[in-house]
Amino acid sequence: MNEQPGAGVSAAVEDYRSLRAALERAIRPLATSLDGRRFTVQASPHDLELQAGGYVAIECDPPAIGQVTRLDLRTEAGADLAFSAAAAAGAPQEIRAPVRLRVVRGEGVLLGGEARPFHDAAVRTARPDEVGALLERLRPARATLAFGELLTAPGVELRLDAGGFGRHTFLCGQSGSGKTYALGLLLEQLL
């Protein structure tokens, strides 16, 4: 039985794709901070749980909570791989290809002011109770206004600093997006 021309190459391409996906899935979500105020993060693009604007728990000493400010998908060079594929004449042919891994890279800020520099600390999406405890600790001593819940931490109440409305306030959005309604809620709360 003769193998179709190029079938060996197709099998090698599938092997390459499977290996690349396995390597990408093995990328651990890790964070590094050189100054204890900002951090960089890496993660696998497969089943990504981190999101820009989302809160993360970082397993450093002491443990920290941060907020991701930016995420990018990057392609990075890996090692060269060699695959055997049947050539048109039936003799095996070696195919060499560099592995190009896709990895998520990002940045964020550490919240709460307790962290020290760290390297390769495990990172995960922060639980709503962790975010709520942090925000409660950071809440200003003056009055706050309840204003819904955090999109990135369901169940955690969003509170605005009432002292911040003593100067200029800017509400922005498309027509029909709820600016007037939101302003009405703010005024009710302030009064």
Side-chain angles (χ1 to χ4, degrees):
M1 183 181 258
N2 289 344
E3 195 172 307
Q4 289 215 323
V9 172
S10 294
V13 168
E14 274 311 307
D15 288 346
Y16 171 86
R17 287 180 178 157
S18 295
L19 178 61
R20 180 180 70 183
L23 290 171
E24 289 172 349
R25 287 182 190 284
I27 296 170
R28 293 182 52 217
L30 298 174
T32 296
S33 176
L34 300 178
D35 61 7
R37 293 186 313 246
R38 297 176 307 262
F39 65 92
T40 59
V41 65
Q42 74 171 32
S44 170
H46 299 274
D47 305 318
L48 181 65
E49 291 184 15
L50 304 181
Q51 57 181 310
Y55 295 92
V56 292
I58 302 170
E59 306 299 330
C60 55
D61 186 25
I65 300 287
Q67 188 171 24
V68 177
T69 57
R70 195 187 95 243
L71 288 175
D72 298 312
L73 181 64
R74 298 197 182 153
T75 302
E76 299 183 4
D80 282 356
L81 295 178
F83 294 95
S84 292
Q93 175 185 359
E94 184 176 272
I95 299 172
R96 297 193 65 76
V99 176
R100 305 290 296 170
L101 297 175
R102 295 161 299 185
V103 62
V104 174
R105 298 262 183 210
E107 297 175 353
V109 293
L110 293 164
L111 306 171
E114 302 156 1
R116 297 189 299 255
F118 55 84
H119 179 60
D120 283 351
V123 63
R124 61 174 170 77
T125 300
R127 296 185 317 268
D129 64 299
E130 293 170 315
V131 175
L134 171 74
L135 295 180
E136 187 62 37
R137 202 171 68 242
L138 298 177
R139 181 169 289 154
R142 59 184 171 252
T144 59
L145 307 174
F147 204 72
E149 73 177 35
L150 295 174
L151 180 64
T152 57
V156 176
E157 187 177 48
L158 170 63
R159 298 193 67 82
L160 302 176
D161 180 359
F165 293 99
R167 294 186 51 115
H168 301 287
T169 302
F170 177 70
L171 289 176
C172 164
Q174 293 179 324
S175 295
S177 64
K179 296 179 300 295
T180 303
Y181 180 75
L183 179 60
L185 290 177
L186 278 173
L187 291 174
E188 273 183 19
Q189 291 287 318
L190 285 170
L191 292 173

